Amino acid sequence: MRWMGVNEIREKYLSFFESKEHLRLPSYSLIPQNDKSLLLINAGMAPLKPYFTGQEVPPRRRVTTCQKCIRTGDIERVGKTARHATFFEMLGNFSFGDYFKESAIPWAWEFVTKVLELPKDKLYVTIYLDDDEAFDIWTTKTDIEPERIFRLGKEDNFWEIGQGPCGPCSEIHFDRGEGKINTLEEFLKAGEEDRVIEFWNLVFTQFDKDENGNYNRLQSPNIDTGMGLERMATIMQGVNSIFDIDTMKNILNEVCRVSNTEYKKDSKKDVSLRLITDHIRSVTFMVSDGILPSNEGRGYVLRRLLRRAARHGKLLGVDKAFLWELCDVVIENSKDAYPQLEEKKDYIKKVIRLEEERFDETIDQGIVILNQYIDELKKEEANTLSGEKTFKLYDTYGFPLELTLEILEEQGMNADINGFNEEMKLQRERARAAREETNYMGTEMDIYMTLLAEITTTFSGYTDTKTEGKVLVIVSNGDVVDRANAGDEVSIILDNTSFYAEMGGQVGDKGYLEGEDFKVEVYDCKKTSNGKILHIGKVVEGSIKADSKVKAVVDRNRRIDIARNHTATHLLHAALRKVLGSHVEQSGSLVSQDRLRFDFTHFEGISSEDLRKVENIVNEKIMEGLTVETVETSIDEARKMGAMALFGEKYGNIVRVVKAGDFSIELCGGTHVNNTSSIGMFKIISEGGVAAGVRRIEAVTGKGALNYVEHLEDTIKSVAAALKTSSKDIVRRCESLMHEIKDKEKEIENLKSKMALGALSDIINNVKEIKGIKVALSSLELDAESLREIGDKLRDKLGKSVVLLAGIKDDKVTFVAMASKDAVSLGVHAGNLVKEVAKITGGGGGGRPDMAQAGGKDVSKVNMALESAYAIIENMIK
């Protein structure tokens, strides 16, 4: 057995199974597609579920992959053990109704003993208790010694998740100890002591478990295997910890360098070093797949991992953003297997750096709030922070629990950890309740899920908007039917269609299906989660039957308008990258007949100057009349061409590249114009933020742009007419009117002030005296500034006094309270007075003892509020 690096093991595995006629597929995104049961891909077989269930036809019946995975179930143990990690790679070979145990077992043995050259006297195998078939194959088709095979029960060697496909499994184990293991008891003990480690699980999916618990034999059994790449590397490199394998060690060494910390000198610091090493791998890969930090879903997982790593950096004495720098070594170690890491390097680093900087602000905010809690505990002469407040710091403000405990400990205090755990449990229960009930596939079951995978549709709409096809399936009222009549709502699947199904942000086509004695109006075209193209509409004439010949006719003018907008999104994407930087990535889009919407990653508002630059570049490319061409090629060739892949999209081996000259090159399955000049004109109508780190631009093209300009012209003419001026003088006229309005408003306020000053004598005549202090109350139609001016005058005139005035304006209330120095010395507090008075009108406020201000909402309660002041003031006076 020779030493092998992680990247070599991965390549050896995939090449071996390619030699066994397996199709090598690239790793799927960490973001599950059409699977509501998962937040993140957590196993090699997870993205392949549709092929196992027969809902989709696999590209080949034999497949091999190395799948990137995230699991956070044991997150609290990461860094504390030699084996736990949140990110890992899972090697797998899969058979979808092709070969079974008779091939899977010998190939597995061949790979580990001949390719990896693992010593046979170090290997043991486990099988399911009743799986005599597996035992026979192991003992007749490999040269393993029969006494090295142990039979285990369901808990260890049978794979099932609720109902659906399931079956026995066989695991291969490596013995790191000395001497032969002779009995099952010895084997189990060796496993508990970590002497023996399992590294490859071969799952034989041969049953379908029904709702009654019966195991029905599958007509076409499947093979699903999983080998942990990092775990295999520990064996090949003769180390006991995944943190000592080559790629992980490279990252850990960089963490040590940045933090100026030596590994294996301080056990507490070692935990931080290992945790940062693992977490930076996770966040780098998550961001490369388009996941952004947020407070929910997978974005919350990313934020939590990133902030935990940043927090442990602080524990190591790193007082700056540093995680974004560690990305370089992660990318360098994995870029050959995952080229998108290198392609999106600048973007990944920018996202991580910004989140680190936000975390620094969070720490500062959290400390302020925690100090408030500590002050409250001191006043109450208590020393335990409630579980509710501890959890609020953690959950709402993102403040790490360990930091809360550390700061409390410095104050001789602690936190109610049991209460915290209870709040955490309640949150998990809420999340679990919010998760939709799903079937094995993780998708909602409907009639389309029951259709055969062989029912597929050829799309010929790139070149034609009229095609001929045959009706394969008619669905009406939720059931498959043989016939639908005039008036019936239907979803129809054809063998061939010119209709584009909604996908990649582009809306579905409209049009009609026509036969000899029927016509169906199609008002939408969608693709189901298992890939069926549905023509959704209504039978308007005659009767349509299964197997009917049809003409599929797309609304061509609508299609052209959509194509204009779609090509414009590609030009917009390229222009944004040119003006704002290469970190800009598409994160969503809507391409419809009348407009386009484009969401993209950017971390601040766009200036009007930059927005104008973007718009001008797009229009320049339209006027240049760039040829738009499409090329079908391999994913590797497309990358060499510089084509941009979109986050979350699933690409096969053959992809479609859309080029607009040399300006824009993207992978895209949508419909486009043949030349950019066909777009006509491009006009941005809005720009704004839609989520943390995501901006949105809405724009119009072609007829939509003309309609927009015409609407603006009509608006300008209407405004000019209302202002009694010409269109070209609108701005000057508006500025003139604004000056006039401001002057009039000042004049009105001055008149009101004079009227109010004239009413001073009325207010003074109604003054009441409470315990030697004169109290003046009144409500006036004035703003706060005028109220303060009158209040000052009243206080000066009255001497030892309290003044409370209510200003009513625009259905809102402003309270101003003032107290003379001698009134304050007797206990009067203007701030507390307005606070209590404002409450009555549904408002609040406060201020100094001698002068304060508050706001109110309910104008009808102003007099009641003023009357309450007498009792409040009387209670204040000592």
PDB file of all heavy atoms in Angstrom, residues 845-866:
ATOM      1  N   GLY A 845     -42.117  59.286  24.193  1.00  0.00           N
ATOM      2  CA  GLY A 845     -41.028  60.260  24.083  1.00  0.00           C
ATOM      3  C   GLY A 845     -40.392  60.480  25.433  1.00  0.00           C
ATOM      4  O   GLY A 845     -40.562  59.681  26.360  1.00  0.00           O
ATOM      5  N   GLY A 846     -39.667  61.565  25.566  1.00  0.00           N
ATOM      6  CA  GLY A 846     -39.002  61.867  26.830  1.00  0.00           C
ATOM      7  C   GLY A 846     -37.977  62.962  26.643  1.00  0.00           C
ATOM      8  O   GLY A 846     -37.925  63.615  25.599  1.00  0.00           O
ATOM      9  N   GLY A 847     -37.165  63.184  27.662  1.00  0.00           N
ATOM     10  CA  GLY A 847     -36.149  64.221  27.553  1.00  0.00           C
ATOM     11  C   GLY A 847     -35.607  64.629  28.901  1.00  0.00           C
ATOM     12  O   GLY A 847     -35.682  63.894  29.887  1.00  0.00           O
ATOM     13  N   ARG A 848     -35.089  65.873  28.986  1.00  0.00           N
ATOM     14  CA  ARG A 848     -34.462  66.375  30.208  1.00  0.00           C
ATOM     15  C   ARG A 848     -35.523  66.778  31.236  1.00  0.00           C
ATOM     16  O   ARG A 848     -36.696  66.979  30.886  1.00  0.00           O
ATOM     17  CB  ARG A 848     -33.603  67.588  29.880  1.00  0.00           C
ATOM     18  CG  ARG A 848     -32.533  67.342  28.823  1.00  0.00           C
ATOM     19  CD  ARG A 848     -31.535  68.505  28.798  1.00  0.00           C
ATOM     20  NE  ARG A 848     -32.192  69.802  28.730  1.00  0.00           N
ATOM     21  CZ  ARG A 848     -32.424  70.470  27.594  1.00  0.00           C
ATOM     22  NH1 ARG A 848     -32.100  69.927  26.434  1.00  0.00           N
ATOM     23  NH2 ARG A 848     -33.006  71.667  27.622  1.00  0.00           N
ATOM     24  N   PRO A 849     -35.107  66.985  32.489  1.00  0.00           N
ATOM     25  CA  PRO A 849     -36.061  67.434  33.517  1.00  0.00           C
ATOM     26  C   PRO A 849     -36.667  68.801  33.205  1.00  0.00           C
ATOM     27  O   PRO A 849     -37.825  69.068  33.526  1.00  0.00           O
ATOM     28  CB  PRO A 849     -35.210  67.479  34.789  1.00  0.00           C
ATOM     29  CG  PRO A 849     -34.100  66.519  34.531  1.00  0.00           C
ATOM     30  CD  PRO A 849     -33.794  66.616  33.077  1.00  0.00           C
ATOM     31  N   ASP A 850     -35.877  69.694  32.545  1.00  0.00           N
ATOM     32  CA  ASP A 850     -36.372  71.057  32.311  1.00  0.00           C
ATOM     33  C   ASP A 850     -37.060  71.230  30.956  1.00  0.00           C
ATOM     34  O   ASP A 850     -37.814  72.179  30.758  1.00  0.00           O
ATOM     35  CB  ASP A 850     -35.231  72.064  32.440  1.00  0.00           C
ATOM     36  CG  ASP A 850     -34.139  71.829  31.418  1.00  0.00           C
ATOM     37  OD1 ASP A 850     -33.912  70.650  31.044  1.00  0.00           O
ATOM     38  OD2 ASP A 850     -33.501  72.807  30.978  1.00  0.00           O
ATOM     39  N   MET A 851     -36.796  70.331  29.999  1.00  0.00           N
ATOM     40  CA  MET A 851     -37.430  70.464  28.683  1.00  0.00           C
ATOM     41  C   MET A 851     -37.475  69.099  27.985  1.00  0.00           C
ATOM     42  O   MET A 851     -36.502  68.360  27.998  1.00  0.00           O
ATOM     43  CB  MET A 851     -36.655  71.451  27.809  1.00  0.00           C
ATOM     44  CG  MET A 851     -37.492  72.070  26.677  1.00  0.00           C
ATOM     45  SD  MET A 851     -37.743  71.013  25.250  1.00  0.00           S
ATOM     46  CE  MET A 851     -36.170  71.242  24.439  1.00  0.00           C
ATOM     47  N   ALA A 852     -38.635  68.758  27.409  1.00  0.00           N
ATOM     48  CA  ALA A 852     -38.771  67.456  26.750  1.00  0.00           C
ATOM     49  C   ALA A 852     -39.840  67.515  25.668  1.00  0.00           C
ATOM     50  O   ALA A 852     -40.668  68.445  25.640  1.00  0.00           O
ATOM     51  CB  ALA A 852     -39.125  66.379  27.772  1.00  0.00           C
ATOM     52  N   GLN A 853     -39.790  66.494  24.798  1.00  0.00           N
ATOM     53  CA  GLN A 853     -40.727  66.447  23.677  1.00  0.00           C
ATOM     54  C   GLN A 853     -41.190  65.012  23.451  1.00  0.00           C
ATOM     55  O   GLN A 853     -40.453  64.064  23.696  1.00  0.00           O
ATOM     56  CB  GLN A 853     -40.032  66.986  22.418  1.00  0.00           C
ATOM     57  CG  GLN A 853     -40.949  67.176  21.228  1.00  0.00           C
ATOM     58  CD  GLN A 853     -40.242  67.900  20.085  1.00  0.00           C
ATOM     59  OE1 GLN A 853     -39.554  68.893  20.305  1.00  0.00           O
ATOM     60  NE2 GLN A 853     -40.405  67.386  18.879  1.00  0.00           N
ATOM     61  N   ALA A 854     -42.421  64.841  22.975  1.00  0.00           N
ATOM     62  CA  ALA A 854     -42.964  63.517  22.699  1.00  0.00           C
ATOM     63  C   ALA A 854     -43.937  63.598  21.536  1.00  0.00           C
ATOM     64  O   ALA A 854     -44.374  64.686  21.141  1.00  0.00           O
ATOM     65  CB  ALA A 854     -43.657  62.943  23.935  1.00  0.00           C
ATOM     66  N   GLY A 855     -44.286  62.429  21.000  1.00  0.00           N
ATOM     67  CA  GLY A 855     -45.230  62.378  19.890  1.00  0.00           C
ATOM     68  C   GLY A 855     -46.444  61.558  20.263  1.00  0.00           C
ATOM     69  O   GLY A 855     -46.390  60.677  21.120  1.00  0.00           O
ATOM     70  N   GLY A 856     -47.561  61.830  19.617  1.00  0.00           N
ATOM     71  CA  GLY A 856     -48.792  61.083  19.849  1.00  0.00           C
ATOM     72  C   GLY A 856     -49.467  60.756  18.538  1.00  0.00           C
ATOM     73  O   GLY A 856     -49.122  61.320  17.492  1.00  0.00           O
ATOM     74  N   LYS A 857     -50.446  59.825  18.570  1.00  0.00           N
ATOM     75  CA  LYS A 857     -51.116  59.391  17.341  1.00  0.00           C
ATOM     76  C   LYS A 857     -52.598  59.728  17.316  1.00  0.00           C
ATOM     77  O   LYS A 857     -53.136  60.113  16.290  1.00  0.00           O
ATOM     78  CB  LYS A 857     -50.937  57.872  17.180  1.00  0.00           C
ATOM     79  CG  LYS A 857     -49.492  57.435  17.037  1.00  0.00           C
ATOM     80  CD  LYS A 857     -49.385  55.920  17.019  1.00  0.00           C
ATOM     81  CE  LYS A 857     -47.925  55.467  16.953  1.00  0.00           C
ATOM     82  NZ  LYS A 857     -47.793  54.002  17.054  1.00  0.00           N
ATOM     83  N   ASP A 858     -53.267  59.580  18.461  1.00  0.00           N
ATOM     84  CA  ASP A 858     -54.719  59.728  18.501  1.00  0.00           C
ATOM     85  C   ASP A 858     -55.100  61.150  18.892  1.00  0.00           C
ATOM     86  O   ASP A 858     -55.071  61.542  20.067  1.00  0.00           O
ATOM     87  CB  ASP A 858     -55.307  58.725  19.508  1.00  0.00           C
ATOM     88  CG  ASP A 858     -56.824  58.612  19.387  1.00  0.00           C
ATOM     89  OD1 ASP A 858     -57.449  59.534  18.806  1.00  0.00           O
ATOM     90  OD2 ASP A 858     -57.379  57.615  19.876  1.00  0.00           O
ATOM     91  N   VAL A 859     -55.459  61.962  17.878  1.00  0.00           N
ATOM     92  CA  VAL A 859     -55.783  63.375  18.106  1.00  0.00           C
ATOM     93  C   VAL A 859     -56.996  63.529  19.027  1.00  0.00           C
ATOM     94  O   VAL A 859     -57.081  64.473  19.820  1.00  0.00           O
ATOM     95  CB  VAL A 859     -56.047  64.077  16.746  1.00  0.00           C
ATOM     96  CG1 VAL A 859     -56.503  65.508  16.950  1.00  0.00           C
ATOM     97  CG2 VAL A 859     -54.795  64.035  15.879  1.00  0.00           C
ATOM     98  N   SER A 860     -57.920  62.570  18.976  1.00  0.00           N
ATOM     99  CA  SER A 860     -59.163  62.682  19.758  1.00  0.00           C
ATOM    100  C   SER A 860     -58.909  62.621  21.271  1.00  0.00           C
ATOM    101  O   SER A 860     -59.772  63.002  22.063  1.00  0.00           O
ATOM    102  CB  SER A 860     -60.142  61.578  19.354  1.00  0.00           C
ATOM    103  OG  SER A 860     -59.647  60.303  19.752  1.00  0.00           O
ATOM    104  N   LYS A 861     -57.728  62.168  21.674  1.00  0.00           N
ATOM    105  CA  LYS A 861     -57.448  62.005  23.103  1.00  0.00           C
ATOM    106  C   LYS A 861     -56.503  63.074  23.648  1.00  0.00           C
ATOM    107  O   LYS A 861     -55.980  62.949  24.758  1.00  0.00           O
ATOM    108  CB  LYS A 861     -56.869  60.614  23.363  1.00  0.00           C
ATOM    109  CG  LYS A 861     -57.884  59.501  23.104  1.00  0.00           C
ATOM    110  CD  LYS A 861     -57.303  58.123  23.404  1.00  0.00           C
ATOM    111  CE  LYS A 861     -58.364  57.038  23.163  1.00  0.00           C
ATOM    112  NZ  LYS A 861     -57.818  55.681  23.354  1.00  0.00           N
ATOM    113  N   VAL A 862     -56.278  64.147  22.866  1.00  0.00           N
ATOM    114  CA  VAL A 862     -55.353  65.197  23.301  1.00  0.00           C
ATOM    115  C   VAL A 862     -55.840  65.878  24.575  1.00  0.00           C
ATOM    116  O   VAL A 862     -55.086  66.083  25.531  1.00  0.00           O
ATOM    117  CB  VAL A 862     -55.137  66.237  22.177  1.00  0.00           C
ATOM    118  CG1 VAL A 862     -54.409  67.468  22.712  1.00  0.00           C
ATOM    119  CG2 VAL A 862     -54.328  65.619  21.046  1.00  0.00           C
ATOM    120  N   ASN A 863     -57.122  66.255  24.616  1.00  0.00           N
ATOM    121  CA  ASN A 863     -57.635  66.960  25.800  1.00  0.00           C
ATOM    122  C   ASN A 863     -57.563  66.072  27.045  1.00  0.00           C
ATOM    123  O   ASN A 863     -57.214  66.531  28.140  1.00  0.00           O
ATOM    124  CB  ASN A 863     -59.088  67.417  25.564  1.00  0.00           C
ATOM    125  CG  ASN A 863     -59.161  68.544  24.549  1.00  0.00           C
ATOM    126  OD1 ASN A 863     -58.193  69.286  24.378  1.00  0.00           O
ATOM    127  ND2 ASN A 863     -60.285  68.658  23.846  1.00  0.00           N
ATOM    128  N   MET A 864     -57.882  64.786  26.883  1.00  0.00           N
ATOM    129  CA  MET A 864     -57.789  63.843  27.999  1.00  0.00           C
ATOM    130  C   MET A 864     -56.343  63.774  28.505  1.00  0.00           C
ATOM    131  O   MET A 864     -56.086  63.731  29.711  1.00  0.00           O
ATOM    132  CB  MET A 864     -58.247  62.457  27.524  1.00  0.00           C
ATOM    133  CG  MET A 864     -58.338  61.419  28.645  1.00  0.00           C
ATOM    134  SD  MET A 864     -58.531  59.727  27.999  1.00  0.00           S
ATOM    135  CE  MET A 864     -59.950  59.922  26.928  1.00  0.00           C
ATOM    136  N   ALA A 865     -55.396  63.751  27.537  1.00  0.00           N
ATOM    137  CA  ALA A 865     -53.980  63.668  27.897  1.00  0.00           C
ATOM    138  C   ALA A 865     -53.543  64.911  28.671  1.00  0.00           C
ATOM    139  O   ALA A 865     -52.837  64.811  29.679  1.00  0.00           O
ATOM    140  CB  ALA A 865     -53.132  63.497  26.633  1.00  0.00           C
ATOM    141  N   LEU A 866     -53.973  66.090  28.195  1.00  0.00           N
ATOM    142  CA  LEU A 866     -53.598  67.333  28.885  1.00  0.00           C
ATOM    143  C   LEU A 866     -54.176  67.369  30.302  1.00  0.00           C
ATOM    144  O   LEU A 866     -53.504  67.765  31.259  1.00  0.00           O
ATOM    145  CB  LEU A 866     -54.075  68.542  28.081  1.00  0.00           C
ATOM    146  CG  LEU A 866     -53.334  68.808  26.743  1.00  0.00           C
ATOM    147  CD1 LEU A 866     -54.013  69.946  25.988  1.00  0.00           C
ATOM    148  CD2 LEU A 866     -51.870  69.147  26.989  1.00  0.00           C
TER     149      LEU A 866
END
